[in-house]
Amino acid sequence: MSLSESVRIRVPASTANLGPGFDTLGMALSLYAWIEMKEEDRTSFQLFGDEMKGVPEDKSNLIYQVAQMVFEEAGISVPELSISMYSEIPLTRGLGSSASAIVGALAAANALIGSPLPPSKLFDMATNLEKHPDNVGASLFGGIIAAAWDGSHADYVRIEPPADMQTLVVIPDFQLSTSKARDVLPKQLSLSDAVYNISRSSLMTAALASGRLDLIGAAMRDRIHQPYRAGLVPGMARILDEAPNRGALGVALSGAGPTLIALIERGDERIEALQTYLIETMRNEGISASCLMLEPDLKGVQVLDSLQGTSFMDMIRGEVIT
Ligand code: HSE
């Protein structure tokens, strides 16, 4: 197996659930993290950007740990690594930052040793770590992912997002851990709530696959996680109720929150007013928030062409959108 000198990857953020598709649907978004990985004599970390504050800089680092899983799976030893990372994906906000880190580490480590593991294996490993396939599938493959996980293997279909669909995310200025947002969910559901979600999740998948943006509003509704999580995100219930009348095709909690995501039609003249409404509604609840207009990312994780002579941060300065 040939070891590359160094690899650089770019991995997108993601939104999970898309409303009704709890732990099943995901979409990659045009917000990114970058990782550079090299074999070295001694392990070291260079972590850049506000989102990296507090991330461990020893061998307990997630990127390092996940890379070692790849090497072990491939039967190769690369114990010492130099790892650089920059991320513009806010942590613990419902935009898949941990899934991006896992997928980025898997892809970088696999590329470093000549890509012996196929994407489906990386997907299974990523899902096993994250415990649900929606965020990791989107970050790995890009576009929209419908996936089912049986505890050891994830089956999936990648859907090309409708070309005229964009997203507006409103990111509240507080963190919400996935475990806290999962702890509020009920252990049992009524048959009518299960049917409500199965029908809307199926409709959502079919609508996205066939570009039927007119059906997003009817499909992007949920009864199995959002009603329970609404108490954790001030303004959420109101936004879910009102945003579809203010220019959103549909609106949902992004993953476990607290970010909310509105799907919008490109060129809709109400987008600016919708943005103001989202921020104002949060502000009225005493929450400061920022809005980003994001495109669906179509490529998923990318191994970047080696830019000889360009430093990691110079490369990122040339790429960063925000
Ligand atoms: N599907 C997951 C959830 C995504 O909603 O809890 C968050 O990681």
Side-chain angles (χ1 to χ4, degrees), residues 15-19 21-25 94-96 98-99 130-135 177-179 181-182 185 225 229 253-257:
T15 185
N17 305 328
L18 294 173
F22 182 69
D23 282 359
T24 289
L25 295 179
L95 290 168
S98 75
E130 188 76 353
K131 301 298 172 213
H132 34 81
D134 38 7
N135 290 107
S177 73
T178 298
S179 61
R182 289 181 89 88
L185 303 182
H225 69 109
R229 290 171 162 174
L253 188 65
S254 181

